């Protein structure tokens, strides 16, 4: 008797116009809220449609859940074991979770307004995870800061296959003498 091999069908989260959202908890730190706004901006540009930023996941929509929160915890997506600037991206059902360790006291908007590298020396791993997600799955390219240095390809949908990975920099501290 021979076995019948069936193809394995991977579950995917599909972001499409009118059926997608970015979720950030109302009590998220400023850096996580900024990361969620960046995700919203670039997903909307890619899909050519509004992508709402909500505080609670809506059923029946593909949700990009940004930052550590109780929904991520319930899905088993935590920051446990992450190194500085490391992040985790995982799919679960109709949701993609992006979590990282972030400095809850840092004011990223102030740091960006004032400029300079030293004001940005704080943990912002969820933001790095959002940018990685946008590059990896939406094809966004960040060549240098600003609109001119950012390329956002248009897409009728963004498909995120069943995903579970962690990424972190090789060197957590760099300096020169």
């Amino acid at each position: 008797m021979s076995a019948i091999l069936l193809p394995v069908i991977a579950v995917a989260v599909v972001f499409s116009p009118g059926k997608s959202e970015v979720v950030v908890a109302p009590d998220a730190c400023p850096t996580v809220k900024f990361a969620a706004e960046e995700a919203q901006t670039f997903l909307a540009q890619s899909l050519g449609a509004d992508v709402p930023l909500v505080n609670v996941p809506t059923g029946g929509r593909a949700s990009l859940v940004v930052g550590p929160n109780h929904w991520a915890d319930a899905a088993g997506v935590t920051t446990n074991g992450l190194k500085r600037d490391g992040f985790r991206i995982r799919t679960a059902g109709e949701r993609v979770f992006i979590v990282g360790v972030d400095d809850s006291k840092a004011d990223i908007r102030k740091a960006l307004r004032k400029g300079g590298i030293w004001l940005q020396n704080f943990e912002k791993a969820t933001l790095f995870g959002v940018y990685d997600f946008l590059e990896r799955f939406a094809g966004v390219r960040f060549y240098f800061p600003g609109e001119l240095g950012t390329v956002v390809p248009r897409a009728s949908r963004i498909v995120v296959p069943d995903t579970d990975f962690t990424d972190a920099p090789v060197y957590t501290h760099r300096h020169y003498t």
Side-chain angles (χ1 to χ4, degrees):
M1 182 169 180
S2 63
I4 299 174
L5 299 176
L6 298 174
V8 176
I9 300 172
V11 178
V13 179
V14 180
F15 292 88
S16 58
K19 297 182 181 179
S20 306
E21 65 190 3
V22 175
V23 181
V24 62
D27 61 346
C29 71
T31 302
V32 170
K33 289 180 179 179
F34 180 81
E37 291 168 7
E38 289 283 90
Q40 176 194 29
T41 296
F42 291 113
L43 283 176
Q45 286 178 18
S46 181
L47 295 172
D50 183 46
V51 175
L53 181 62
V54 298
N55 294 126
V56 177
T58 307
R61 288 180 175 247
S63 299
L64 181 63
V65 183
V66 179
N69 52 53
H70 66 277
W71 303 294
D73 291 342
V77 187
T78 67
T79 59
N80 294 341
L82 292 178
K83 292 193 256 179
R84 179 183 171 98
D85 296 334
F87 57 87
R88 182 169 287 129
I89 299 177
R90 182 184 294 170
T91 55
E94 292 184 317
R95 297 178 182 166
V96 176
F97 295 91
I98 303 174
V99 301
V101 178
D102 304 290
D103 185 337
S104 62
K105 295 179 177 106
D107 184 346
I108 191 166
R109 292 182 201 293
K110 180 179 177 183
L112 291 170
R113 263 192 323 272
K114 288 194 172 207
I117 192 69
W118 300 114
L119 289 175
Q120 297 180 35
N121 191 20
F122 55 87
E123 291 182 293
K124 48 190 167 293
T126 300
L127 180 61
F128 294 146
V130 164
Y131 290 146
D132 185 273
F133 170 85
L134 292 166
E135 287 182 335
R136 189 179 303 260
F137 299 111
V140 177
R141 295 295 178 253
F142 300 97
Y143 294 110
F144 51 89
E147 189 177 331
L148 188 61
T150 306
V151 178
V152 183
R154 290 290 296 266
S156 60
R157 63 189 190 136
I158 298 168
V159 178
V160 181
D162 187 26
T163 299
D164 183 3
F165 70 90
T166 301
D167 198 3
V170 174
Y171 298 106
T172 56
H173 298 285
R174 296 176 185 101
H175 65 86
Y176 61 92
T177 55

